[in-house]
């Protein structure tokens, strides 16, 4: 059996088959790290592994549904079987849904809690204690500017990202004295499959906000994490959005966001004016 001192430290990226997670894997690979790529799609993971190797890293892949209740124990067993330990955890797997909470399928909305909150917290609890014991490494969590305010017509998504921001900030404080970093990166819209799949890009808000490139977000996120930052908000427009969301009274923020995220087909009380399409 391999003793824990013989295990090689890896950067474990959850949600590494596409988008921001895959971009962070490429950035981390440039420092010749071992990268463990985790998601459900084996073909996309294989393509991501090739990118990691090209960038100078050593890649391992595991196809895993993070919604499975034993996902974190299976991941840990995979790492141990390959002589690895989780030195850095990147929680990038996540999804959102645009629409009225009363109309969207309940199971799909509850899945947002299961993935964006429960799986992220479960993985963090599985690997953070080892980092603290070794006094190195950390966790990089994908939040969002959506985490700065409640978000009508994307209620579950905004609430889940609020959890990520709060949870990350609290853990950052708990572990920073041990040489361990917990960073939350909170981007605005990023050009990935997320915008189409969530339906967010059909809302007026996402049509007007500028979209960042996943590589840019990954660079900022990784650099911020490496310098021990609690929060990274990449780009001017996301910083401005986060600032406005923080200073605006909640009553005004929810009305504004409700207006720009609502579409005409969403349910509306009798006697109200027409909506935004
Ligand atoms: N794009 C944006 O505008 C934006 C803005 C702010 C924050 N974010 C956040 O950034 C993170 C990454 O988003 P993205 O834009 O990169 O999204 P994306 O392109 O849709 O990628 C999502 C990743 O999560 C993985 N995933 C989803 N469900 C999974 C499951 N059940 N088990 C395992 N893996 C799963 C997907 O892989 P498989 O499908 O292969 O499993 C994929 O690798 C998310 O947390 C998102 O909320 C995104």
């Amino acid at each position: 059996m391999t003793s824990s001192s013989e295990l090689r430290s890896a950067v474990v990226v959850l949600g590494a088959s596409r988008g921001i997670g895959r971009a962070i894997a490429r950035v981390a690979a440039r420092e010749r790290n071992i990268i463990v790529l985790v998601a459900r799609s084996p073909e996309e993971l294989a393509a991501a592994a090739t990118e990691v190797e090209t960038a100078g890293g050593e890649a391992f892949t595991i196809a895993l549904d993070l919604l499975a209740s034993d996902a974190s124990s299976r991941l840990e067993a995979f790492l141990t079987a390959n002589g690895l330990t989780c030195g850095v955890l990147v929680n990038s797997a996540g999804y959102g849904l645009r629409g009225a909470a009363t109309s969207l399928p309940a199971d799909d909305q509850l899945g947002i809690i299961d993935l964006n909150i429960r799986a992220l917290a479960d993985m963090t609890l599985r690997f953070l204690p080892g980092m603290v014991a070794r006094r190195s490494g950390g966790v990089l969590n994908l939040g969002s500017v959506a985490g700065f305010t409640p978000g009508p017509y994307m209620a579950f998504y905004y609430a889940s990202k609020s959890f990520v921001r709060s949870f990350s900030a609290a853990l950052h404080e708990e572990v920073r004295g041990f040489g361990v970093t917990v960073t939350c990166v909170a981007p605005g819209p990023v050009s990935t499959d997320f915008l189409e799949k969530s339906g967010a890009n059909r809302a007026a808000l996402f049509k007007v906000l500028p979209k960042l490139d996943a590589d840019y977000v990954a660079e900022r996120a990784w650099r911020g994490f490496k310098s021990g930052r609690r929060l990274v908000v990449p780009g001017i427009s996301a910083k401005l959005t986060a600032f406005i969301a923080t200073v605006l009274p909640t009553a005004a923020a929810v009305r504004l966001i409700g207006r720009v995220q609502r579409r005409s087909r969403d349910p509306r009380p009798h006697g109200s004016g027409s909506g935004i399409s």
Side-chain angles (χ1 to χ4, degrees):
M1 221 175 108
T2 320
S3 81
S4 61
S5 59
E6 292 169 55
L7 297 174
R8 296 191 300 153
S9 180
V11 178
V12 177
V13 184
L14 311 181
S17 62
R18 294 195 308 271
I20 301 167
R22 185 158 159 175
I24 292 174
R26 285 193 298 267
V27 172
R30 293 204 307 248
E31 295 170 11
R32 311 222 161 263
N33 283 308
I34 300 168
I35 316 287
V36 178
L37 303 151
V38 185
R40 291 167 303 181
S41 324
E43 299 81 15
E44 293 300 313
L45 284 174
T50 303
E51 291 175 0
V52 161
E53 304 270 353
T54 305
E58 181 181 344
F60 289 78
T61 63
I62 170 170
L64 194 62
D65 185 349
L66 297 172
L67 293 175
S69 58
D70 62 349
S72 68
S73 59
R74 283 176 56 197
L75 178 56
E76 188 172 41
F78 173 85
L79 294 176
T80 309
N82 285 285
L84 303 173
T85 189
C86 179
V88 174
L89 174 67
V90 179
N91 279 305
S92 188
Y95 76 95
L97 287 175
R98 199 221 60 83
T102 50
S103 302
L104 291 169
D107 282 350
D108 293 348
Q109 295 189 84
L110 293 170
I112 294 173
I113 295 178
D114 293 338
L115 185 63
N116 299 12
I117 297 180
R118 194 186 183 288
L120 177 144
D122 181 26
M123 289 292 181
T124 301
L125 294 180
R126 169 105 16 204
F127 297 116
L128 188 59
M131 297 169 192
V132 169
R134 293 187 297 274
R135 294 181 172 262
S136 71
V139 182
L140 175 53
N141 286 330
L142 260 298
S144 165
V145 287
F148 289 87
T149 170
Y153 302 100
M154 269 188 105
F156 277 77
Y157 182 71
Y158 277 60
S160 76
K161 293 302 177 182
S162 181
F163 172 88
V164 174
R165 185 167 74 98
S166 171
F167 181 65
S168 305
L171 292 191
H172 176 92
E173 183 58 24
E174 288 187 25
V175 302
R176 70 189 176 91
F178 295 90
V180 175
T181 300
V182 177
T183 299
C184 175
V185 55
V190 185
S191 300
T192 69
D193 293 353
F194 171 89
L195 292 176
E196 178 64 33
K197 286 190 173 180
S198 62
N201 61 355
R202 289 186 287 283
L205 176 63
F206 290 84
K207 284 181 184 155
V208 296
L209 285 175
K211 283 154 202 74
L212 292 176
D213 186 67
D215 289 324
Y216 172 82
V217 172
E219 295 279 358
R220 294 285 153 155
W222 189 249
R223 197 190 304 166
F225 168 72
K226 294 289 297 269
S227 47
R229 296 263 302 276
R230 173 176 52 80
L231 178 68
V232 177
V233 183
I236 298 291
S237 69
K239 283 186 178 65
L240 192 62
T241 309
F243 175 73
I244 293 169
T246 309
V247 296
L248 214 57
T250 304
V254 290
R255 219 161 291 147
L256 179 68
I257 294 167
R259 239 179 239 182
V260 291
Q261 279 194 158
R262 186 176 177 277
R263 299 190 71 209
S264 53
R265 69 175 71 129
D266 291 324
R268 193 171 179 84
H270 290 299
S272 324
S274 65
I276 297 154
S277 67

